[in-house]
Amino acid sequence: MTTIENVNIIELPKFTDPRGNLSFVEQLNHIPFEIKRTYWLYDVPGGECRGGHAYKENKEFIIALSGSFDVIIEDGVNKKVFHLNRSYYGLFVPKGLWREMDNFSTNSLALILSSTKYDVKDYIRDYNEYLVFKGL
Ligand code: TYD
């Protein structure tokens, strides 16, 4: 069963340069899945919370390209908060975990690389339904 122990921060390559730094990410190299979709969250008003749900199949990699925010992961038993604030770190979130994002700083930009195309049927939006899905 997937737990919060399977969530991990991955450090990406970083080329520091007086002209400006550069980082990158490659599928199946730095992250353990093929990228089918990319989306981003921006202009998030202070105090807002996004993404209170789980995915049955979709895996994701979340990067704070600008600013900072928290990613809260729950597996039905335990909960962990990951604070992202550097563009060369990302959070790998396997499928089957409950995740929310909050504490967005002004002008923060969250980039999310996803392993599946958008599929509304892949979402679990009710926490009790999530616990049933996990067999808890
Ligand atoms: P959603 O993932 O439900 O965000 P949140 O859980 O933070 O509320 O996305 C919000 C809306 O955006 C959703 O109703 C449909 C649309 N959407 C897409 O069409 N494609 C996508 O890849 C994503 C992530 C969302």
Side-chain angles (χ1 to χ4, degrees):
M1 189 169 68
T2 315
T3 73
I4 56 169
E5 300 306 320
N6 303 112
V7 177
N8 56 305
I9 298 264
I10 295 173
E11 185 170 2
L12 298 169
K14 183 186 182 192
F15 287 83
T16 50
D17 191 306
R19 297 171 300 159
N21 300 336
L22 182 152
S23 288
F24 63 95
V25 55
E26 292 173 353
Q27 60 182 2
L28 301 175
N29 183 6
H30 308 105
I31 57 170
F33 61 84
E34 282 186 31
I35 300 162
K36 291 275 168 56
R37 175 169 55 112
T38 303
Y39 65 95
W40 47 97
L41 299 171
Y42 54 99
D43 293 346
V44 179
E48 278 301 336
C49 173
R50 298 251 13 176
H53 55 67
Y55 299 112
K56 295 178 204 162
E57 286 301 323
N58 184 49
K59 303 166 199 168
E60 59 187 8
F61 187 65
I62 304 172
I63 308 169
L65 277 190
S66 181
S68 64
F69 50 83
D70 290 340
V71 184
I72 305 113
I73 305 289
E74 292 181 60
D75 59 17
V77 178
N78 294 303
K79 177 177 179 171
K80 202 164 169 182
V81 179
F82 296 87
H83 184 64
L84 297 181
N85 62 355
R86 291 282 180 269
S87 63
Y88 52 92
Y89 283 110
L91 187 71
F92 171 61
V93 186
K95 65 182 177 181
L97 293 170
W98 188 268
R99 76 110 168 108
E100 287 182 42
M101 298 167 68
D102 70 6
N103 202 19
F104 289 88
S105 69
T106 305
N107 287 330
S108 58
L109 173 59
L111 181 75
I112 296 113
L113 311 178
S114 297
S115 69
T116 64
K117 289 188 178 173
Y118 178 73
D119 177 6
V120 72
K121 296 190 295 301
D122 194 46
Y123 281 68
I124 304 172
R125 293 191 175 275
D126 180 90
Y127 196 75
N128 287 323
E129 199 184 310
Y130 173 66
L131 293 176
V132 172
F133 171 78
K134 296 288 278 184
L136 297 167

